[in-house]
Amino acid sequence: MMQVVEVARRGGAEDLHLEEQEEAQPGPGQLLIKVKAVSIHAFDSNIQGRVLGYDVAGVVEEVGSGVVDFKVGDEVWSYLGGGKDNHAYAESVCAAAEFVSRKPVNLSFVEAAAVPTLGITAYEAVLHKARLKAGQAALVTGGSGPLGSMIIQLCRHCGANPILATAGSERSYRELTDHLGLSPENVIAYRERSLDDLQQQIQSLTQGHDLAAAFDLVGHRLSQLCFRSIGFGGAVVSVLDQPTDVAEGASNWLFGKSASLHVQFTGARIHFGEPRHWPTYRQVLDQLRVLFEEGHLKAPKVCDLGGFSEASIRGAHELRPHGDALGQLVVRFP
Ligand SMILES: NC(=O)c1ccc[n+]([C@@H]2O[C@H](COP(=O)([O-])OP(=O)(O)OC[C@H]3O[C@@H](n4cnc5c(N)ncnc54)[C@H](OP(=O)(O)O)[C@@H]3O)[C@@H](O)[C@H]2O)c1
């Protein structure tokens, strides 16, 4: 038997309860992972099922038939998108091997659990969609959050310059400058300022060069800012559900700049694809491992909520909607 935190019905944090459940056995092509740490996202509650949680770091406990790349005892991280028996708010989880990769040796389990969804999303947004090149300018809205921090680091890895980011609070400003190393002049305080004013600041910061990529992580007025500021031939990359709904005139701005809009939805190949679409998840996790181990990336800021329990998982769900540069919420196992 194993302990899981189950959701009795879809509602608030009070609906999460500790339960005992039969431990899953790995089927063909699957691995049983002993969970060491799990990260908590607001969108965990989109999962259909009673045990939530997308991101996990742990140790391989059993290997299903047909899996040749892993052995018992391997330290792994996984994006629990598809091909699993339960999700990560649990002592162990079965995952299809296409979603599992070796954990970077220089990240702790807690740090590693913070990465999979954010890392895959950021990697695809920057390297597959925006395809930034050295010397190109980039803007990241919501850059102080866990996803923004991965995107900023990957932009820097591509040689983007300058990298601009928005900050809505002093805490976000500090995160961007102190933790992520952005120049203070490249941090754009956006609250209570007009879009015209913000657009002008971006133009002057890029010194007349075109903004090659704008990563839209926040929506609302900041979506407008991305569409208005994008340069000729540039790319707006949105991680939002409805990327153009809140951005009045988005298609006109894109047309006028001959720019493109990319939608990044990391779960797309799972929700709308089939197993032949899955290997990309492990491939990207493998690429991320190399970037961490070679020192090109550092772990996003983590908010460690302590040991796995009903209280710690509930606490994470209560904190989650408040964002504001807290860091990626992680719960660990002994
Ligand atoms: N499409 C995908 O596959 C995918 C995958 C992962 C994440 N996402 C989405 O990406 C977004 C960013 O993820 P994250 O984990 O970095 O988010 P987060 O920590 O919740 O928010 C990031 C930043 O957004 C800014 N923000 C502005 N208005 C906000 C509001 N009303 N509520 C919360 N934050 C607000 C805050 O910075 P300032 O105060 O400085 O503005 C905050 O630090 C989220 O919307 C998430 O759902 C999408």
Side-chain angles (χ1 to χ4, degrees):
M1 298 295 281
M2 64 169 176
Q3 292 194 323
V4 302
V5 170
E6 274 196 350
V7 61
R9 63 184 167 86
R10 290 305 149 90
E14 66 282 0
D15 294 314
L16 294 157
H17 299 283
L18 195 69
E19 295 282 343
E20 292 256 303
Q21 215 181 60
E22 204 74 48
E23 191 174 76
Q25 295 300 307
Q30 289 189 333
L31 298 157
L32 179 68
I33 302 169
K34 179 96 187 145
V35 179
K36 289 288 190 182
V38 50
S39 72
I40 283 91
H41 298 275
F43 48 81
D44 280 353
S45 48
N46 297 342
I47 287 172
Q48 298 301 314
R50 293 170 68 99
V51 181
L52 313 181
Y54 279 105
D55 284 339
V56 66
V59 177
V60 174
E61 206 169 33
E62 257 183 82
V63 178
S65 62
V67 178
V68 291
D69 315 333
F70 296 93
K71 60 181 186 324
V72 172
D74 283 345
E75 296 188 349
V76 294
W77 57 355
S78 176
Y79 168 64
L80 295 176
K84 72 271 134 187
D85 287 351
N86 60 267
H87 288 86
Y89 298 0
E91 283 181 294
S92 58
V93 64
C94 275
E98 290 95 328
F99 295 88
V100 185
S101 162
R102 270 188 198 79
K103 174 181 90 59
V105 291
N106 55 344
L107 293 193
S108 67
F109 286 111
V110 166
E111 290 170 329
V115 175
T117 303
L118 303 172
I120 296 170
T121 306
Y123 191 96
E124 292 195 340
V126 177
L127 285 107
H128 295 174
K129 306 284 166 63
R131 296 168 180 242
L132 275 168
K133 295 185 186 68
Q136 290 186 322
L139 167 70
V140 187
T141 67
S144 61
L147 178 58
S149 104
M150 296 299 300
I151 288 181
I152 287 172
Q153 292 187 71
L154 286 164
C155 287
R156 186 175 288 135
H157 176 63
C158 293
N161 188 32
I163 301 170
L164 315 178
T166 57
S169 67
E170 182 62 22
R171 186 150 52 165
S172 295
Y173 173 85
R174 292 268 156 248
E175 180 62 19
L176 289 164
T177 53
D178 300 354
H179 184 72
L180 291 164
L182 253 58
S183 306
E185 69 269 21
N186 290 339
V187 178
I188 300 166
Y190 66 91
R191 302 248 184 229
E192 288 164 29
R193 290 178 60 196
S194 71
L195 284 172
D196 284 341
D197 188 19
L198 294 168
Q199 201 181 340
Q200 254 177 27
Q201 186 182 359
I202 290 169
Q203 266 163 11
S204 81
L205 286 169
T206 53
Q207 294 168 343
H209 290 290
D210 283 331
L211 189 70
F215 297 91
D216 185 8
L217 275 52
V218 176
H220 312 288
R221 266 173 16 106
L222 293 184
S223 286
Q224 300 261 38
L225 185 65
C226 290
F227 287 107
R228 288 172 67 136
S229 307
I230 197 65
F232 288 103
V236 175
V237 184
S238 173
V239 302
L240 307 173
D241 292 352
Q242 304 293 336
T244 54
D245 279 13
V246 291
E248 198 185 324
S251 53
N252 288 339
W253 290 104
L254 292 174
F255 184 77
K257 292 291 177 50
S258 188
S260 52
L261 168 63
H262 296 266
V263 176
Q264 172 60 35
F265 172 39
T266 301
R269 291 182 183 81
I270 298 153
H271 292 281
F272 308 112
E274 44 192 79
R276 71 187 166 87
H277 298 111
W278 293 352
T280 184
Y281 293 103
R282 191 207 292 181
Q283 286 158 15
V284 173
L285 284 173
D286 284 345
Q287 296 290 333
L288 287 165
R289 179 183 62 246
V290 172
L291 292 175
F292 277 106
E293 290 183 347
E294 290 183 351
H296 302 295
L297 293 179
K298 61 180 178 180
K301 184 171 152 191
V302 164
C303 180
D304 183 341
L305 293 168
F308 178 79
S309 68
E310 190 176 280
S312 59
I313 295 279
R314 278 188 182 187
H317 276 260
E318 276 157 8
L319 270 176
R320 195 56 210 139
H322 302 295
D324 199 19
L326 278 175
Q328 184 57 37
L329 307 179
V330 178
V331 168
R332 59 194 148 71
F333 288 76

